[in-house]
Structure formats: C-alpha cells, structure tokens
Amino acid sequence: MKLRRKYAFIVFKIHNDQIVADTIKTIEDATAIGSEATFEEFISKMPATRAATAGADGIRNKLVFFLWAPDTAKIRSRMIYASSKLAIRQRLDGIHAEIQCTDPAELAHEAVFEKLAPKGATPVVRPPKA
C-alpha cells in the first residue's frame, strides 16, 4: 500500500473466511476532494454493526492501521477481526501506527491526530485541488 502510494485508504472485511477489500479510495480521488473530506469519507465507511480493519495512508504522511470494533458489533465479529488483525497488518508494508477504536469519537480526526502527532502540533487540513 505504501510503496506505490496508490491508495488513500482501504477498508477490509472478512467474507466466507477470506479477507477482502470492502472499500478502496485512490490517492487521485482523495486529492481531488481534499484531506478533510477524505478522512470524513473514511470514517463513514466504517460499518456501524460489525467490526472492520483498515489501512489509511497520508495521515501526517504515515500509514496507519485501524481496528474498528464498535460496542454495537456482535462479540463473534469483534473476536474474528481481532484474531485476523495480524494477518492483515503483515500485508500492509510500512505501517507506522495502529489505532484501535470502539466508538466514533475515537475515529474523529482530532482523536487520531492526537495519537499520531507530537505534543503541541496542530492539524493541517489540505483543501481540494481546483
């Protein structure tokens, strides 16, 4: 994912015991709508009733791995994704950080930025390209 910088984010799901890409957003599409809109779209792609894993590139120029396990998801779903986390993570080269989220507040831009940025840093939002 990182070597070619082709994707802004990929959301994975487990379907029939296979790990498959559920949603893919390319760097070109992300650049066209801007960083804040891309991150909002990324958050909206996380399912409300089941767990998911995702890789997002470009958050402070880092590849970030997310484990999304909402409290509303069934326990079986959360356990399957937690046990599959390592297999998915190993396929994504260059991961800088891992963030585990259980509610939408932990996925918010400010919360993610706070976990990744050095103390005292302020978020920079890139506008869409004209």
Side-chain angles (χ1 to χ4, degrees):
M1 187 170 170
K2 182 142 184 134
L3 293 177
R4 295 187 196 113
R5 297 217 34 130
K6 188 175 178 180
Y7 304 109
F9 67 82
I10 302 175
V11 178
F12 297 96
K13 71 177 182 177
I14 298 174
H15 181 70
N16 295 334
D17 295 331
Q18 296 289 321
I19 300 168
V20 295
D22 187 31
T23 305
I24 298 174
K25 182 75 165 186
T26 64
I27 290 286
E28 293 83 24
D29 293 340
T31 303
I33 64 171
S35 62
E36 189 172 357
T38 300
F39 193 77
E40 293 301 320
E41 182 179 348
F42 170 69
I43 292 171
S44 73
K45 298 299 181 184
M46 293 296 184
T49 58
R50 69 170 170 81
T53 55
D57 199 358
I59 301 173
R60 295 202 39 87
N61 294 321
K62 296 177 170 112
L63 180 59
V64 181
F65 181 78
F66 289 86
L67 176 61
W68 170 245
D71 293 331
T72 56
K74 293 181 181 178
I75 292 174
R76 177 172 163 69
S77 172
R78 292 188 298 191
M79 292 190 67
I80 288 172
Y81 279 89
S83 64
S84 302
K85 173 180 74 168
L86 185 60
I88 296 170
R89 189 175 170 164
Q90 287 175 339
R91 294 191 156 244
L92 301 174
D93 292 330
I95 292 178
H96 176 266
E98 178 179 318
I99 298 177
Q100 297 184 20
C101 307
T102 58
D103 67 25
E106 293 174 330
L107 268 178
H109 185 265
E110 296 80 19
V112 171
F113 183 84
E114 187 177 298
K115 291 178 184 176
L116 297 176
K119 296 203 184 290
T122 57
V124 176
V125 176
R126 287 182 232 129
K129 284 194 174 181

